[in-house]
Amino acid sequence: FCLMAAPGKVAAFRLPPLPTIGEIIKLFRLKALRQLSQNFLLDLRLTDKIVKQAGELKNAHVCEVGPGPGGITRSILSAGVEQVLLIEKDARFIPGLQMLSEAAPGKVRIVRGDILTYKMEKAFPKHLKKNWEDEPPDIHIIGNLPFSVSTPLVIKWLENVSKRDGPFTYGRTQMTLTFQKEVGERLTANPGSHQRSRLSIMAQHLCTVENCFIIPGQAFVPKPEVDVAVVHFTPLVQPKIQQPFELVEKVVRSVFQFRRKYCFRGIETLFPENGRLKRTEQLMMTANVDPTLRPFQLSMSQFRNLCNAYRKMCEEDPSLFVFNYREELKQKKTTGSLLGSTGQPEQTEEENQL
């Protein structure tokens, strides 16, 4: 269901006196649920700092993901936004958010729903749409994301960036999001860094990604075991790898399959066993990539070359793209069991690593 604030706007907006976030938590008997990896941020100086990283928000439209008791929401409203759309899955937080809605007439729209399934193509007024080549629209996504949903959600949004759909039908919508510190480091890791991962390539080939600042774990209630990174994303006008999202994702995932081994070991998993070595050599020669580099040492241009070369091979043999290395392993294991054989040790090690 969707709850709308009463119409009517105020010129120079300032929130009236309200209970503190701590008092809201006590008033509605709110408790962070560990199974939903919820953590509340009560310090409004920190919520102001998060919102400041989003850039100029005066008269902007903002979508806040998982507002919880509404700490960041207050900072967003204080920044002078035109309207904030709150998407909250947990019904316990709705009454506290309605209190904010009543304090800011016409500025708050509350939707109870799951951000992973919520359709954002029609979330904002049509007149806000910009061409992809233009400056980003006056639309921002901000959220203190639960750890359990942050990585799948950012991968989903990166796919939306690639296809220019979802919240990116309006143009190059900017995002300011929180992650576990380690995930923030992966998102921004450079070649050679041991934090370099699939997430690094997928994010950086589509967006400018900035690790803004770290919030210590003790600032949250309850205190998580890790510190939290605030990361800002601005979609690029041109992706660094101009291939379909699914193809890039498959190549990058394969390369990092065996991150401690030479990169050719992961690249092998793109090909069926029959002709695997020959095709792997062909791909690496065409892409001009040293097969003895580790996955985290590869540059963005090397990943681009690998994706471009793999695309050509898929065009020559369409069955390549649908090949699934894990399925091949499962079939070999099943066949080995039927024959009364345990299979080769290498296969068992591969399955463990996968």
Side-chain angles (χ1 to χ4, degrees), residues 25-78:
I25 290 169
K26 285 179 185 174
L27 179 65
F28 295 106
R29 297 179 181 178
L30 301 174
K31 187 178 179 183
L33 298 180
R34 188 173 290 275
Q35 62 267 36
L36 296 178
S37 60
Q38 291 175 338
N39 302 95
F40 303 148
L41 191 55
L42 308 187
D43 188 338
L44 293 184
R45 289 170 301 178
L46 283 172
T47 60
D48 285 348
K49 194 175 176 184
I50 291 171
V51 169
K52 195 175 179 183
Q53 300 304 319
E56 178 55 62
L57 293 185
K58 190 167 176 60
N59 300 324
H61 285 249
V62 175
C63 171
E64 186 190 350
V65 183
I72 293 177
T73 316
R74 295 186 186 205
S75 296
I76 292 170
L77 287 167
S78 297

Side-chain angles (χ1 to χ4, degrees), residues 5-20:
K9 297 176 184 175
V10 284
F13 181 76
R14 181 173 291 180
L15 277 170
L18 287 165
T20 65

Side-chain angles (χ1 to χ4, degrees), residues 204-310:
Q204 293 171 33
H205 104 83
L206 289 162
C207 298
T208 300
V209 191
E210 302 167 76
N211 199 335
C212 304
F213 66 97
I214 303 298
I215 304 175
Q218 62 258 32
F220 293 86
V221 177
K223 177 183 176 296
E225 295 176 4
V226 293
D227 293 338
V228 172
V230 177
V231 182
H232 183 76
F233 302 78
T234 306
L236 295 165
V237 173
Q238 288 289 348
K240 292 179 182 174
I241 304 172
Q242 296 192 32
Q243 295 293 350
F245 183 87
E246 292 82 1
L247 184 142
V248 178
E249 212 268 340
K250 184 179 183 184
V251 171
V252 174
R253 187 176 66 241
S254 297
V255 170
F256 282 100
Q257 198 93 264
F258 302 99
R259 60 174 296 114
R260 294 179 185 173
K261 297 190 176 183
Y262 294 141
C263 64
F264 80 84
R265 184 65 195 86
I267 290 168
E268 281 185 322
T269 66
L270 288 167
F271 304 108
E273 188 173 34
N274 185 21
R276 176 171 288 153
L277 183 60
K278 185 179 177 183
R279 280 173 152 174
T280 303
E281 288 174 350
Q282 179 190 341
L283 176 60
M284 302 211 74
M285 283 181 66
T286 307
N288 193 26
V289 172
D290 180 350
T292 63
L293 289 173
R294 309 283 179 185
F296 60 85
Q297 294 176 308
L298 297 184
S299 67
M300 189 63 75
S301 61
Q302 288 170 316
F303 273 105
R304 180 173 61 240
N305 292 348
L306 286 169
C307 291
N308 291 344
Y310 180 64

Side-chain angles (χ1 to χ4, degrees), residues 83-97:
Q83 191 174 70
V84 57
L85 166 65
L86 305 176
I87 301 177
E88 178 54 68
K89 185 178 180 180
D90 193 332
R92 297 174 306 142
F93 296 118
I94 300 298
L97 296 175

Side-chain angles (χ1 to χ4, degrees), residues 131-145:
N131 293 325
W132 195 260
E133 297 73 24
D134 295 342
E135 287 298 303
D138 285 335
I139 296 172
H140 297 260
I141 297 172
I142 298 176
N144 174 30
L145 304 178

